[in-house]
């Protein structure tokens, strides 16, 4: 079966069970980019991400003898939920290995979808090793998160939907980890709409693809550190790698600040809850240089998932507000005399900044005997206002140290 036939077969198989997720317009991103921008809302997909497309396609295509032995997977969350949901829907037993530090909501959801869950190791690689051992000992079929033709074909159905919903689309942007989604999208568009530009987005601190493409083979990252756990994959898959080499999509990276700002924008302006990995395409539209993206309109960014731990969401919102110049923590040394704090707060009042929190410290070794350090948490109205507040404080003699 050739590639497009495999993808169309996957679409037929998935049609009765997978949601045809909407595309929504984003005026704010259109204003930023100068192009019409649409968001493909896979965060509204079953289990909260695009992953069930590939998982269901892979498991549904198993021979009956393999179905009877069950399936096993390793994942930090989205693939785990996709496999659990797909297997249960097909009446097949599933076992999932998740890292010890996996987000609690994803762990609970995976169990709720019917999987037997084991938490082992600190990384996906360690969990994957245990999953392979389990498969070897029990005969269960390993459902890899991205490195199998049926997985890639299932994820490719996102591109088929985009072409139906936005037939004039000029650029498609996909978050990229192991490469299954990007490979499926790029392969589909290369065949059916070769004029469409395809861009993959990685977290800068977990970007295995640039070095792998330069080396001509998948190359493992030595270390990763990103809030976007859904695309934190240290070694690209061989099956996706072949498709991506052949279709040559552009790969760009975004930093943690950009991911935070993108997540915040999705919440505030589109009313969508998106996890950091899912917001990577939006982050690229907000932060990458025009010459990096070379956009052709209309643009469609895939919101690949919305499964975010509420605790992480709280931290990311704070980080995003700070990165957007709307939240600031500042240390200021003032005289330890009556009225000093009142004068400082009065000055802040004149700037229009809102004081959220005030903490005194008299114990710093750098403080003189008659000094006190004040840690202020301030709400400002954006980068311009933030700079105005700092300038106003400096003009009246305060030395301000802004916390990162």
């Amino acid at each position: 079966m050739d590639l497009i036939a495999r993808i169309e077969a996957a679409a037929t198989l998935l049609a009765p069970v997978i949601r045809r997720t909407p595309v929504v317009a984003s005026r704010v991103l259109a204003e930023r980019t100068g192009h019409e921008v649409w968001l493909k809302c896979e965060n509204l997909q079953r289990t909260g991400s695009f992953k069930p497309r590939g998982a269901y396609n892979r498991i549904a295509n198993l021979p009956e003898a393999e179905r009877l032995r069950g399936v096993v997977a390793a994942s930090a969350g989205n693939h785990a939920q996709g496999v659990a949901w797909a297997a249960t829907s097909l009446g097949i037993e599933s076992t999932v290995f998740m890292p010890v530090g996996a987000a609690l909501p994803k762990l609970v959801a995976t169990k709720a979808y019917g999987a037997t869950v084991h938490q082992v190791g600190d990384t996906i690689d360690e969990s994957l090793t245990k999953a392979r051992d389990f498969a070897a000992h029990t005969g269960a079929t390993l459902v890899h998160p991205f490195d199998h033709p049926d997985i890639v074909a299932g994820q490719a159905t996102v591109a088929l939907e985009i072409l139906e919903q936005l037939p004039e689309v000029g650029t498609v942007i996909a978050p990229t980890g192991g490469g299954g989604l990007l490979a499926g999208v790029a392969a589909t568009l290369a065949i059916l709409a070769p004029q469409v530009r395809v861009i993959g987005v990685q977290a800068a601190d977990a970007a295995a693809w640039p070095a792998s493409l330069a080396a001509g083979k998948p190359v493992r990252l030595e270390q990763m550190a990103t809030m976007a756990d859904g695309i934190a994959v240290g070694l690209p898959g061989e099956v996706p790698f072949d498709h991506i080499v052949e279709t040559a999509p552009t790969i760009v990276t975004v930093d943690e600040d950009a991911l935070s700002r993108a997540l915040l924008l999705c919440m505030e302006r589109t009313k969508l809850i998106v996890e950091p990995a899912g917001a990577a395409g939006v982050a690229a539209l907000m932060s990458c240089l025009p010459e990096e993206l070379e956009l052709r309109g209309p643009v469609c960014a895939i919101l690949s998932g919305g499964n975010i731990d509420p605790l992480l969401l709280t931290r990311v919102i704070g980080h995003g507000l700070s990165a957007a110049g709307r939240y600031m923590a500042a240390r200021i040394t003032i005289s330890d005399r009556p009225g000093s704090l009142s004068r400082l707060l009065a000055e802040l009042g004149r700037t229009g900044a809102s004081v959220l929190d005030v903490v005194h410290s008299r114990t710093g070794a750098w403080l003189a005997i008659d000094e006190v350090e004040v840690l202020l948490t301030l709400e400002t109205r954006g980068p311009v206002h933030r700079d105005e507040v700092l300038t106003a404080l400096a003009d009246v003699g305060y030395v301000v140290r802004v916390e990162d």
Side-chain angles (χ1 to χ4, degrees), residues 323-366:
R326 294 168 53 192
Y327 180 91
M328 176 173 62
R331 294 184 182 273
I332 304 173
T333 300
I334 63 175
S335 172
D336 191 13
R337 294 178 182 175
S340 295
L341 180 59
S342 296
R343 285 191 291 274
L344 171 60
L345 295 178
E347 188 61 40
L348 285 167
R350 283 189 285 273
T351 69
S354 177
V355 179
L356 303 179
D357 194 24
V358 180
V359 178
H360 283 78
S361 174
R362 291 183 172 87
T363 59
W366 59 91

Side-chain angles (χ1 to χ4, degrees), residues 63-71 92-93:
E64 185 61 29
E66 291 188 40
R67 290 185 176 210
L68 294 174
R69 293 194 293 270
V71 297
I92 298 171
E93 183 178 343

